[in-house]
Amino acid sequence: MSFSEIAPGIRYVGVNDRTTTRFEALWPLPAGVSYNAYLVIGERIALIDTVEQRFGGILFDNIRREIGDRPIDYLVINHMEPDHSSSIEALRLRYPGIRLVGNAKALQMVEGFYGVGAPTVEVAEGSTLDLGGLSLAFFMAPMVHWPETMVTWCPERRTLFSGDAFGTFGALNGGITDSQLDPALYWDEMRRYYASIVGKYGAPVQKALQKVRGLDLATVCSTHGPVWQEQIPQVLDLYDRMSRYEGEPGAVIAYGSMYGNTAQMAERLARHLAEAGVKKIAVHDLTYSDPSFVLRDIFRYDTLVVGSPTYNGALFPPVARLLEAVAARGIPQRNFAFFGSFCWAGCAVRSMAEFAQRMKWEPVGDAVEMKQGFSADADAACRTLAQQIAARIGQ
């Protein structure tokens, strides 16, 4: 059995990207990212997705290593985002007889992005494709996380090709499946990937999970990160909780600070929370923490505590950007507390109270608003707020 063989007749031909610094030009990639593609080999051969075009040469080398000079009969397009589709034109040149398999929206996007038309095979919910000895079935998963997204099922091998669903940031370090590498390295990167990219689409993810749970899964092949075999229940559970916006007990303290006074409040709040028995606390200075890491923790924990100085009669800009990102993801509920500081006219605390109203979140405890420098009175107010937050987390 080849190391790249995931199951009989299914081969991994993806690539690692360790040089791109920001995914979608937004999200940092400190551990890189993989672009996963797969061959399904029966009497006829289907390639499931391609890779980012800069790595197309490696993709073609990987394909040749697995099937030699055999032609590829079909390219199945689960998702049209360019990190998975931008090698389509080069693939057509190498395999001129290949037929593109996708739903109507995907095939329109192929034409729109790359000007590549027929020959195509249009599929819909429940359509099947016979490869001779193996077959593929197609299920639509719109808005997970583009409208054309679908997933592909190989029933003979109980293998789901899930597109971006169940994906993670992080390149693959040697192994391909979760039994060949340490999956512990990828859980936080799955949370960060979901929170940054998929987090707005909880309801569509829930619908997709209902379809997936009806399958007898042995293998889940995402387009990013490990191939899941041993950890499938944990993966499905994590996606279920994230798409229901269910946080585990714990607190995120996210703050901005110009001259250190609001930062002192954040540090004291964290200390008082710990004194009150809260063990899971993530503290982020929003001037330095990338939003993807903050959003990851907000999706993980059930309590968000935000601090901001008043800046030009409004929230400190990094704090405002975080709250905009939270609102854009439609998170229906978090235990929410807030604190702020000002020099001569306070606005930040009022703005955060208005944010809670817009989100329909019921604030926890008594907001702390500090005038000018940090003081013993401010510390005492932070202690009281921490105790109120801890009591809510403990419920």
Side-chain angles (χ1 to χ4, degrees), residues 363-382:
V364 178
D366 303 314
V368 180
E369 187 170 38
M370 182 180 73
K371 184 175 182 178
Q372 297 161 3
F374 190 74
S375 65
D377 288 343
D379 188 28
C382 287

Side-chain angles (χ1 to χ4, degrees), residues 95-370:
Y95 300 97
I98 197 169
R99 303 179 73 186
L100 307 184
V101 180
N103 58 57
K105 289 181 179 179
L107 295 178
Q108 180 278 317
M109 288 184 181
V110 172
E111 179 66 29
F113 272 110
Y114 308 117
V116 177
T120 62
V121 177
E122 184 176 322
V123 298
E125 181 76 16
S127 297
T128 60
L129 182 66
D130 183 9
L131 300 179
L134 295 175
S135 64
L136 302 174
F138 307 99
F139 303 100
M140 303 302 110
M143 302 317 301
V144 186
H145 58 110
W146 277 22
E148 87 302 350
T149 300
M150 69 179 189
V151 299
T152 300
W153 169 243
C154 180
E156 295 84 3
R157 298 294 178 258
R158 298 163 52 209
T159 295
L160 179 71
F161 302 94
S162 62
D164 277 353
F166 315 120
T168 82
F169 293 135
L172 300 177
N173 296 325
I176 296 167
T177 70
D178 54 6
S179 63
Q180 297 168 347
L181 43 73
D182 181 3
L185 301 173
Y186 296 92
W187 296 121
D188 272 352
E189 287 295 72
M190 178 178 281
R191 290 186 180 94
R192 191 165 70 92
Y193 181 90
Y194 183 94
S196 300
I197 296 169
V198 190
K200 180 179 179 179
Y201 303 107
V205 170
Q206 280 289 307
K207 291 180 180 178
L209 281 170
Q210 291 176 7
K211 295 181 182 182
V212 168
R213 291 190 187 280
L215 303 174
D216 181 20
L217 295 171
T219 303
V220 174
C221 296
S222 175
T223 47
H224 299 293
V227 170
W228 302 105
Q229 292 178 327
E230 296 182 348
Q231 305 286 323
I232 290 174
Q234 293 91 324
V235 169
L236 295 182
D237 178 66
L238 182 55
Y239 252 65
D240 180 48
R241 285 187 283 114
M242 289 191 297
S243 60
R244 287 188 290 107
Y245 304 96
E246 177 185 302
E248 63 184 82
V252 180
I253 300 176
Y255 70 92
S257 187
M258 287 184 286
Y259 300 112
N261 294 302
T262 312
Q264 287 189 67
M265 299 172 76
E267 294 294 345
R268 295 306 298 169
L269 265 169
R271 179 62 61 84
H272 295 318
L273 276 174
E275 290 171 347
V278 179
K279 294 183 178 180
K280 294 182 178 180
I281 304 170
V283 181
H284 292 280
D285 182 334
L286 296 176
T287 301
Y288 298 96
S289 290
D290 184 86
S292 67
F293 293 93
V294 187
L295 289 168
R296 173 200 67 191
D297 290 340
I298 292 171
F299 268 79
R300 180 170 187 175
Y301 297 121
D302 64 4
T303 300
L304 173 60
V305 187
V306 178
S308 176
T310 295
Y311 185 84
N312 283 342
L315 288 170
F316 192 49
V319 177
R321 287 193 292 270
L322 174 69
L323 296 184
E324 289 169 4
V326 170
R329 283 153 179 80
I331 300 174
Q333 182 57 53
R334 282 295 179 268
N335 301 325
F336 183 59
F338 46 96
F339 60 97
S341 64
F342 67 98
C343 183
W344 65 89
C347 175
V349 165
R350 183 175 73 250
S351 295
M352 287 184 281
E354 292 169 354
F355 169 80
Q357 289 180 334
R358 291 195 301 273
M359 295 295 291
K360 299 181 180 179
W361 292 356
E362 181 181 351
V364 178
D366 303 314
V368 180
E369 187 170 38
M370 182 180 73

